Amino acid sequence: ERVDGHGGVLLPGFVDLHTHLREPGREDTETIETGSAAAALGGYTAVFAMANTDPVADSAVLTDHVWARGQKVGLVDVHPVGAVTVGLEGTHLAELGAMADGVAQVKMFSDDGKCVHDPLLMRRALEYASGLGVLIAQHAEEPRLTVGAIAHEGPTAARLGLAGWPRSAEESIVARDAILARDAGARVHICHASTAGTVELLRWAKAQGIAITAEVTPHHLLLDDSRLQTYDAVNKVNPPLRESSDCVALRQALVDGVIDCVATDHAPHAEQDKCCEFAQARPGMLGLQTALSVIAATVVGPDGLDWRGVARVLSERPAEIVGLPDQGRPIAVGEPANLTVVDPDAEWTVSRSALASLSANTPFDTMTLPARVVATVLRGRVTALDGQVRYR
Ligand code: DOR
Ligand code: ZN
Ligand code: ZN
Ligand code: ZN
């Protein structure tokens, strides 16, 4: 098939290391099919589906099921992320080996906070993962970690009386897990780095030769805590939007390579879970269809990334981190490829109701953003073209 690229930029297909599809358990907010459509339209050819489904993805039966569903839909490779621990309680390690050896060949494990409370559990998880050659992804976003009611930093949050969600919660876990990974000889990946202090810890850990990698979300690059003034829960996310100085530090770290890649943390939520009191609302934002444009708006430019750099942070580095063999590498002529065509000169206005996700919780609604995905190609087959999904 021939695709008119409209003179755009040809990039390797994007790889998202951090996507929440809600299947199984909350198919009213996103399914593997609707999330795959959003991913294809956003230029992605691989997404890593987080383990915090219901039931939790803590066994090969479930991780293989998620992989098979994604293949059946056929729009994007849906790689399941396995849970490090079993069930919602999460006090015991899961059979990481069985998930790694399954059909899905799980490459990354995460546990949404259980190991945050238990350094011994984290150490054992890292030792197990190290032997298997797989990666542990840490969500260092646990607010209860910090003793007492330290206010969520920043004048805005303090004035608004928002509950504690301090940067010390994130930074202390990043430091702890860097050291645990060093001693376990394991690889650890820091999800959604959100503070300038985390950037400094990553710089330190990498300088020590520790096998640590990190991602930043588009929303933490673009949005700061001034958005919280309205108490609109669309801006509630874990970790929270920080100060504008954090955004600046995160952007620079991405450009410098201290932060390896961009991951969306695409987190669909139902209207009723977002329109209640700020304190009760669920945290999370949509991200798959807006990621490229937010990156273009924040880090692409003369002092930032060129399009080669965009290929690095959206495709090549994430593929390397999880060890996807044929993603983000130069391909021979005639070989089926994963590709994304981007129009760098386009502008578009985000409309929450026009997104492919089953949910509508985008913080970018009504914003006019630069750059747009024109086409996505998965193993030589067009999965999205000019804003339309192409099913097999
Ligand atoms: O805000 C968030 N929501 N951050 C996460 O990492 C989890 C996600 C969710 O599952 O809704
Ligand atoms: Zn907890
Ligand atoms: Zn998280
Ligand atoms: Zn997440």
Side-chain angles (χ1 to χ4, degrees), residues 1-3 74-75 381-385 388-392:
E1 182 173 5
R2 294 185 91 81
V3 169
L75 291 174
R381 199 179 69 76
V382 177
T383 53
L385 185 62
Q388 299 296 318
V389 180
R390 294 275 212 88
Y391 291 94
R392 231 186 326 248

Side-chain angles (χ1 to χ4, degrees), residues 41-60:
L41 291 167
Y44 288 90
T45 51
V47 299
F48 282 70
M50 275 293 160
N52 65 336
T53 48
D54 184 7
V56 172
D58 57 8
S59 72

Side-chain angles (χ1 to χ4, degrees), residues 11 215 249 268 293:
L11 299 169
E215 67 190 32
S293 293

Side-chain angles (χ1 to χ4, degrees), residues 132-351:
L132 295 167
V134 297
L135 187 72
I136 301 281
Q138 174 60 277
H139 299 242
E141 62 200 18
E142 177 56 75
R144 287 164 291 181
L145 183 75
T146 311
V147 183
I150 296 175
H152 172 147
E153 287 88 347
T156 313
R159 182 157 40 77
L160 296 173
L162 298 176
W165 212 291
R167 60 190 64 227
S168 52
E170 173 169 320
E171 292 166 13
S172 56
I173 291 299
V174 171
R176 183 197 77 175
D177 289 354
I179 291 166
L180 290 176
R182 179 193 67 194
D183 290 357
R187 293 188 300 137
V188 67
H189 177 73
I190 302 299
C191 296
H192 41 48
S194 77
T195 77
T198 291
V199 170
E200 289 319 303
L201 289 164
L202 290 167
R203 204 189 304 280
W204 167 82
K206 288 183 169 192
Q208 309 301 303
I210 296 171
I212 194 168
T213 52
E215 67 190 32
V216 63
T217 69
H219 47 270
H220 288 108
L221 292 172
L222 181 62
L223 308 177
D224 65 42
D225 67 354
S226 64
R227 300 258 311 188
L228 301 173
Q229 312 245 21
T230 60
Y231 291 99
D232 184 343
V234 78
N235 298 309
K236 182 171 178 176
V237 67
N238 285 354
L241 300 179
R242 304 278 185 192
E243 290 169 66
S244 55
S245 53
D246 294 298
C247 300
V248 171
L250 293 168
R251 292 179 188 190
Q252 193 59 48
L254 186 64
V255 171
D256 295 344
V258 175
I259 290 176
D260 297 80
C261 63
V262 172
T264 66
D265 200 3
H266 179 84
H269 286 296
E271 204 67 40
Q272 72 267 21
D273 293 327
K274 273 294 190 185
C275 65
C276 40
E277 285 276 310
F278 194 91
Q280 270 76 53
R282 301 263 171 97
M285 305 172 160
L286 300 184
L288 285 168
Q289 270 181 270
T290 45
L292 182 266
S293 293
V294 174
I295 289 158
T298 51
V299 290
V300 174
D303 298 323
L305 298 178
D306 56 13
W307 289 99
R308 192 71 194 70
V310 173
R312 173 167 63 81
V313 301
L314 274 177
S315 181
E316 291 163 6
R317 273 306 282 154
E320 275 169 23
I321 288 168
V322 284
L324 284 189
D326 52 6
Q327 194 87 30
R329 282 209 316 232
I331 35 109
V333 174
E335 216 177 283
N338 294 343
L339 299 169
T340 300
V341 182
V342 168
D343 180 351
D345 303 319
E347 267 196 350
W348 63 296
T349 301
V350 181
S351 164

